[in-house]
Amino acid sequence: MQALRNYIDQQTCSTVSDADFALISDALLPYKLRRKQFFLRAGDVCRHKAFVVQGALRVYTVDAKGNKHIQLFGVENKWVGDRESWLQLTPSPYYIDALEDSQLLLIGCPQAQELVRKVPLVAELVRIQDEQYAIETQKRLHAAISCTAEERYAAFVTQHPDYVRRFSQVMIASYLGISPETLSRIRTKLSHLKAEPSGS
Amino acid sequence: MQALRNYIDQQTCSTVSDADFALISDALLPYKLRRKQFFLRAGDVCRHKAFVVQGALRVYTVDAKGNKHIQLFGVENKWVGDRESWLQLTPSPYYIDALEDSQLLLIGCPQAQELVRKVPLVAELVRIQDEQYAIETQKRLHAAISCTAEERYAAFVTQHPDYVRRFSQVMIASYLGISPETLSRIRTKLSHLKAEPSGS
């Protein structure tokens, strides 16, 4: 739980009191997931959101041809889940599985809503997270509709150098909405550009 | 201001008190924009978010080749602005202009933050809006990275029949991240499918 406590303090630029943190801890359920295990399957209701203490998950859809489209990587200090399904109890279109052995903290929607009411710092945390999420998603949407595959990969490498090391090329291509072959060509081109001495 | 009052009541499933609504009204600046006038230009800081009482605006970027990429249409009861620039006072990459003569209500970031602190119903409204925005953007991102142009257009028509009537084909193509020629082909194909008697 210390990881979560540090995360709350850091995100809200504040110090969560012991009493508030006791309420938060009580609402969360520790959960372990082994690599390749599913957290959610398309068609099911997403009953919990998961805070990632350790490990990595991916959120994805599978199209009619069986291709996976990765919506999100969830790593340490990120939340994963399908917000619409979690809020409205509708079947989710998403699969979520573990890319590494993972330690999670789960929360249901009623418990989260109660915490928001009871603990002002949690309301503040939710507001900050939603803001960050909106800004990140807006950037990604902007890139998806207006940048070339090469520009998208370059921005991805700058924003997420850790993801480049952590996840396979096939997954990164899926996340960027390009084919693995295109990503491979882009990487070759970029490595040639880097290898060329400047001024030549 | 009545439009805003109705909007707050409807969104929060509540009734805003006269005292709270007086605080809200005081924080908002009525503003008119004629068709083709700019609300924001790339490179400027987005000092205000705008609530659209009447009219329509578009939020877009312009790439190196001069192509416009529409991120958002802002119509009645929607907010437009660049949240990152508004929050962090950074230059915005977006242009925002009016597609129709528009009536707006503007709010600066410090005024909005003060309202959130003073009026719990505003905090609730912001939370609900952020939730809706997150769900909508997630769907749009999902469509952008995993659906064909045809699927994207079909979903757009279902979700926004009013936009199809209100905005030009060129703008809708830009919003969907496809070329106007592709959109034209898709529309022709869909109209043929509709015209064909079922079972034939």
Side-chain angles (χ1 to χ4, degrees):
Chain A
M1 288 281 175
Q2 190 57 42
L4 180 67
R5 192 159 190 165
N6 295 344
Y7 166 80
I8 296 170
D9 288 351
Q10 182 251 320
Q11 288 281 303
T12 58
C13 300
S14 181
T15 306
V16 57
S17 71
D18 289 345
D20 279 353
F21 194 68
L23 288 172
I24 297 169
S25 311
D26 283 352
L28 290 160
L29 183 74
Y31 195 74
K32 284 189 183 182
L33 214 59
R34 284 197 168 273
R35 184 167 168 267
K36 295 195 176 181
Q37 275 187 328
F38 279 88
F39 178 70
L40 180 71
R41 285 173 204 267
D44 290 347
V45 171
C46 180
R47 303 263 167 204
H48 297 95
K49 264 197 213 174
F51 177 77
V52 183
V53 176
Q54 181 72 46
L57 292 85
R58 65 177 167 176
V59 181
Y60 63 98
T61 53
V62 180
D63 68 20
K65 290 181 187 157
N67 297 316
K68 292 188 180 88
H69 302 280
I70 297 180
Q71 178 86 12
L72 196 94
F73 291 113
V75 297
E76 289 81 7
N77 291 347
K78 298 272 176 197
W79 289 88
V80 295
D82 174 357
R83 189 197 288 241
E84 185 173 17
S85 171
W86 181 78
L87 269 168
Q88 300 169 3
L89 300 178
T90 47
S92 174
Y94 294 102
Y95 292 87
I96 303 178
D97 63 6
L99 299 173
E100 304 168 4
D101 291 351
S102 300
Q103 288 177 43
L104 311 173
L105 294 169
L106 309 190
I107 190 159
C109 190
Q111 290 77 20
Q113 287 175 339
E114 202 186 336
L115 268 188
V116 164
R117 275 193 301 273
K118 276 191 191 166
V119 185
L121 201 64
V122 168
E124 173 69 4
L125 180 68
V126 168
R127 199 186 56 73
I128 291 168
Q129 284 173 344
D130 282 348
E131 232 156 56
Q132 286 174 352
Y133 180 82
I135 290 172
E136 272 173 32
T137 321
Q138 182 173 297
K139 280 188 180 164
R140 205 168 149 217
L141 184 57
H142 173 247
I145 63 171
S146 60
C147 295
T148 64
E150 197 171 319
E151 288 165 343
R152 259 142 66 198
Y153 181 67
F156 176 79
V157 171
T158 309
Q159 283 160 29
H160 302 292
D162 50 324
Y163 288 9
V164 178
R165 286 187 295 270
R166 202 161 176 179
F167 306 123
S168 74
Q169 293 307 309
V170 171
M171 285 185 203
I172 291 171
S174 166
Y175 178 86
L176 294 170
I178 57 181
S179 72
E181 294 73 28
T182 302
L183 179 58
S184 177
R185 261 200 308 278
I186 292 170
R187 282 171 54 86
T188 307
K189 190 176 162 191
L190 290 177
S191 66
H192 284 170
L193 285 177
K194 267 192 196 160
E196 219 159 278
S198 65
S200 73
Chain B
M1 288 281 175
Q2 191 56 43
L4 180 67
R5 193 160 189 163
N6 295 344
Y7 166 81
I8 296 170
D9 288 352
Q10 182 252 319
Q11 289 281 304
T12 59
C13 300
S14 182
T15 306
V16 57
S17 71
D18 289 344
D20 280 351
F21 194 68
L23 288 173
I24 296 169
S25 310
D26 284 350
L28 289 160
L29 183 75
Y31 194 75
K32 284 190 183 181
L33 214 59
R34 284 198 170 272
R35 184 166 170 267
K36 294 196 177 179
Q37 276 187 328
F38 278 87
F39 178 71
L40 180 72
R41 284 174 205 267
D44 292 346
V45 171
C46 181
R47 303 263 167 204
H48 297 96
K49 263 195 212 175
F51 177 78
V52 184
V53 176
Q54 181 70 46
L57 292 86
R58 65 176 167 175
V59 181
Y60 63 98
T61 53
V62 180
D63 68 21
K65 290 181 189 159
N67 298 315
K68 293 188 180 89
H69 302 281
I70 298 180
Q71 178 85 13
L72 197 93
F73 292 113
V75 297
E76 289 80 8
N77 292 345
K78 297 273 177 198
W79 290 88
V80 295
D82 175 358
R83 190 197 288 241
E84 186 173 16
S85 171
W86 181 79
L87 270 169
Q88 299 170 2
L89 299 178
T90 48
S92 174
Y94 294 102
Y95 292 87
I96 304 178
D97 63 6
L99 298 173
E100 304 168 4
D101 291 351
S102 299
Q103 290 177 41
L104 311 173
L105 295 169
L106 309 190
I107 191 159
C109 190
Q111 290 76 21
Q113 287 174 339
E114 203 187 334
L115 268 188
V116 165
R117 275 193 301 272
K118 276 190 190 166
V119 185
L121 201 63
V122 169
E124 173 70 4
L125 180 68
V126 168
R127 199 186 58 71
I128 290 168
Q129 284 172 346
D130 284 346
E131 231 157 57
Q132 286 173 353
Y133 179 82
I135 289 171
E136 273 173 32
T137 321
Q138 181 173 299
K139 279 188 181 164
R140 205 167 149 220
L141 184 58
H142 173 247
I145 63 171
S146 59
C147 295
T148 63
E150 196 172 321
E151 287 165 343
R152 259 141 67 196
Y153 180 68
F156 176 79
V157 171
T158 309
Q159 283 160 30
H160 302 292
D162 50 324
Y163 289 9
V164 178
R165 286 186 295 270
R166 202 161 176 179
F167 306 123
S168 74
Q169 293 306 310
V170 170
M171 285 186 204
I172 291 171
S174 166
Y175 178 86
L176 294 170
I178 58 181
S179 72
E181 296 73 28
T182 303
L183 180 57
S184 176
R185 259 200 309 277
I186 291 170
R187 282 171 54 87
T188 307
K189 189 175 162 192
L190 290 178
S191 67
H192 285 170
L193 284 177
K194 266 192 196 159
E196 220 158 279
S198 65
S200 73

